């Protein structure tokens, strides 16, 4: 059977925050959603990764600093103004409807390849799209990363992506691995119902209470500009990594934000530490990050040895018809955040 191929100017792969922000600017540039460009999304519902995160997860900044272009996220009045994941999902759902971005749901992109007439072919499970340009915005949530560890553990193991609620661990001994915001927020919750141990590669670095994701975005912007100009990386100036949202501050007040260095191996019922002692655990929660979901771009042969695709800004150096957004600082300052995706999408569309 012959596969149907649709023609369009531009295909956006991914209907999460980065894909929607890109769609907004494409629409504002005069392109018509569904005709001049299409947004393809594998999920069957709006919200991107936010729809799959645990319900008590909060943004790192108040709504006025966590919005996509054109329409501000409605205010969240509780908990210092840091909204829950469901509030973000509702916002993204309404944002998509507001700007009639015509996201094609339940459409999984399987590959992107080079076609004739100087076009790229986007292969999906429901037909192909031929486009002049492709913008990949598939994010990282679908590729959770767990580092290799020696030994085996008979208890429950799960990644941040599989965590839903603290009550599942009531009365248990839980090891939480990771030094970022996800680990801190999950530790804050689980430690209210379970005996917890926190493992980090280096001592966790907490932001001052009055500093949130806005500062992290500005730092990412300065670092990106320095790299582009070939100047020394200004680093984070010791500011910290972990935003002190309400639950983490409360955990600090309970004196549970203590971390120890990594164990040397897993054992059947726990872990073995560097001093040879062992500790028993019922569960291990790996808050060890994600990797970019770039498998659909493999036919283009663009990856470097580190697994990333070299870019100038958002444009792939070896395939200028391809842009990437929303994967982290290497595709735009803080482009994996709401505000970062918005600013990177603006810059991306101006280069088309």
């Amino acid at each position: 059977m012959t596969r149907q191929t649709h023609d369009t100017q531009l295909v956006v792969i991914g209907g999460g925050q980065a894909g929607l922000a890109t769609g907004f600017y494409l629409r504002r540039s005069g392109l018509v959603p569904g005709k001049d460009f299409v947004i393809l999304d594998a999920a069957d519902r709006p919200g991107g990764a936010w729809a799959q995160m645990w319900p008590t997860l909060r943004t790192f900044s108040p709504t006025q600093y966590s919005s996509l272009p054109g329409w501000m996220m409605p205010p969240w009045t509780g908990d210092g103004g840091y909204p829950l994941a469901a509030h973000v999902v509702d916002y993204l759902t309404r944002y998509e409807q507001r700007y009639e971005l015509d996201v094609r749901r339940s459409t999984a992109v399987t590959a992107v390849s080079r076609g004739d007439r100087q076009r790229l072919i986007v292969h999906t499970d429901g037909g192909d799209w031929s486009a002049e340009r492709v913008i990949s915005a598939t994010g990282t949530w679908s590729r959770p990363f767990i580092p290799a560890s020696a030994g085996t553990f008979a208890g429950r193991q799960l990644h941040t992506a599989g965590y839903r609620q603290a009550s599942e661990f009531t009365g248990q001994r839980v090891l939480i691995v990771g030094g970022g915001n996800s680990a801190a927020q999950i530790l804050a919750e689980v430690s209210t119902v379970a005996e917890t141990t926190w493992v980090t590669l280096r001592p966790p670095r907490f932001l001052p209470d009055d500093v949130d994701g806005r500062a992290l975005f500005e730092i990412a912007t300065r670092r990106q500009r320095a790299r582009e100009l070939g100047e020394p990386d200004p680093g984070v100036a010791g500011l910290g990594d972990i935003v002190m949202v309400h639950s983490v501050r409360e955990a600090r007040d309970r004196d549970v934000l203590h971390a120890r260095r990594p164990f040397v191996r897993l054992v059947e019922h726990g872990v073995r530490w560097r001093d040879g002692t062992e500790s028993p655990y019922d569960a291990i929660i790996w808050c060890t990050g994600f990797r970019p979901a770039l498998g659909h771009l493999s036919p283009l042969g663009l990856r470097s040895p580190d697994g990333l695709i070299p870019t100038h800004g958002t444009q792939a150096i070896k395939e200028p018809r391809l842009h990437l957004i929303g994967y982290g600082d290497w595709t735009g300052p803080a482009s994996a955040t709401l505000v970062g995706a918005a600013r990177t999408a603006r810059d991306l569309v101006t280069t088309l």
Side-chain angles (χ1 to χ4, degrees):
M1 178 181 296
T2 302
R3 287 175 62 85
Q4 184 177 11
T5 300
H6 311 276
D7 282 320
T8 188
Q9 292 185 41
L10 198 148
V11 171
V12 180
I13 305 173
Q17 58 192 27
L20 296 184
T22 302
F24 170 87
Y25 282 112
L26 290 172
R27 185 177 184 272
R28 199 172 75 166
S29 74
L31 299 183
V32 178
K35 175 177 176 291
D36 299 321
F37 72 92
V38 294
I39 301 176
L40 308 179
D41 192 69
D44 61 0
R45 52 181 172 156
W50 286 99
Q52 303 174 53
M53 296 175 181
W54 67 98
T56 50
L57 175 68
R58 296 184 182 281
T59 66
F60 300 152
S61 303
T63 55
Q64 63 266 39
Y65 301 102
S66 301
S67 296
L68 295 182
W71 181 47
M72 193 79 72
M73 184 185 296
W76 180 269
T77 55
D79 307 310
Y82 297 84
L84 291 169
H87 188 70
V88 181
V89 172
D90 179 66
Y91 167 64
L92 295 178
T93 301
R94 295 164 61 191
Y95 186 92
E96 179 182 319
Q97 297 167 347
R98 182 186 184 96
Y99 294 107
E100 300 177 325
L101 293 176
D102 192 24
V103 178
R104 309 294 174 90
R105 301 234 169 264
S106 301
T107 304
V109 172
T110 56
V112 177
S113 63
R114 295 182 177 88
D116 55 14
R117 298 181 292 134
Q118 297 297 308
R119 298 174 74 85
L120 293 174
I121 306 300
V122 179
H123 306 271
T124 82
D125 53 4
D128 299 337
W129 290 84
S130 173
E132 298 171 7
R133 294 176 182 270
V134 170
I135 298 173
S136 185
T138 48
T140 63
W141 189 260
S142 63
R143 286 199 64 208
F145 172 73
I146 295 179
S149 299
T152 56
F153 175 63
R156 182 186 181 190
Q157 296 189 66
L158 68 158
H159 187 271
T160 304
Y163 174 80
R164 300 307 296 169
Q165 56 190 354
S167 61
E168 298 176 19
F169 305 94
T170 299
Q172 298 185 4
R173 297 160 298 190
V174 182
L175 184 69
I176 297 171
V177 184
N181 285 287
S182 296
Q185 289 197 31
I186 290 175
L187 171 71
E189 293 184 358
V190 175
S191 62
T192 63
V193 299
E195 178 185 332
T196 54
T197 302
W198 190 16
V199 166
T200 62
L201 280 175
R202 61 174 185 270
R205 303 183 303 178
F206 302 103
L207 287 162
D209 286 6
D210 60 345
V211 175
D212 58 26
R214 291 166 288 186
L216 296 179
F217 174 76
E218 296 303 328
I219 291 170
T221 301
R222 290 199 298 270
R223 299 182 73 182
Q224 178 68 16
R225 287 174 180 163
R227 284 195 290 268
E228 291 175 353
L229 296 172
E231 298 174 349
D233 188 334
V236 298
L239 190 58
D241 299 315
I242 298 172
V243 178
M244 301 303 289
V245 298
H246 175 78
S247 61
V248 179
R249 293 199 304 272
E250 191 274 337
R252 179 189 59 194
D253 295 342
R254 288 188 284 111
D255 199 28
V256 297
L257 296 183
H258 302 290
R260 59 185 302 180
R261 301 293 77 75
F263 52 85
V264 294
R265 66 178 297 116
L266 300 170
V267 296
E268 182 177 4
H269 298 295
V271 300
R272 181 176 301 157
W273 304 101
R274 293 182 185 280
D275 62 6
T277 62
E278 296 183 357
S279 299
Y281 293 102
D282 301 297
I284 299 175
I285 305 176
W286 298 90
C287 306
T288 42
F290 298 82
R291 295 292 182 266
L294 301 174
H296 57 291
L297 302 176
S298 294
L300 300 175
L302 303 175
R303 289 206 199 193
S304 58
D306 64 3
L308 303 182
I309 295 176
T311 60
H312 179 69
T314 61
Q315 189 173 36
I317 292 174
K318 293 183 178 179
E319 178 46 83
R321 294 169 295 183
L322 173 68
H323 290 256
L324 300 103
I325 180 173
Y327 296 99
D329 291 349
W330 61 284
T331 55
S335 71
T337 67
L338 284 157
V339 64
R343 297 187 188 184
T344 304
R346 176 197 60 197
D347 296 342
L348 187 162
V349 172
T350 60
T351 65
L352 297 177

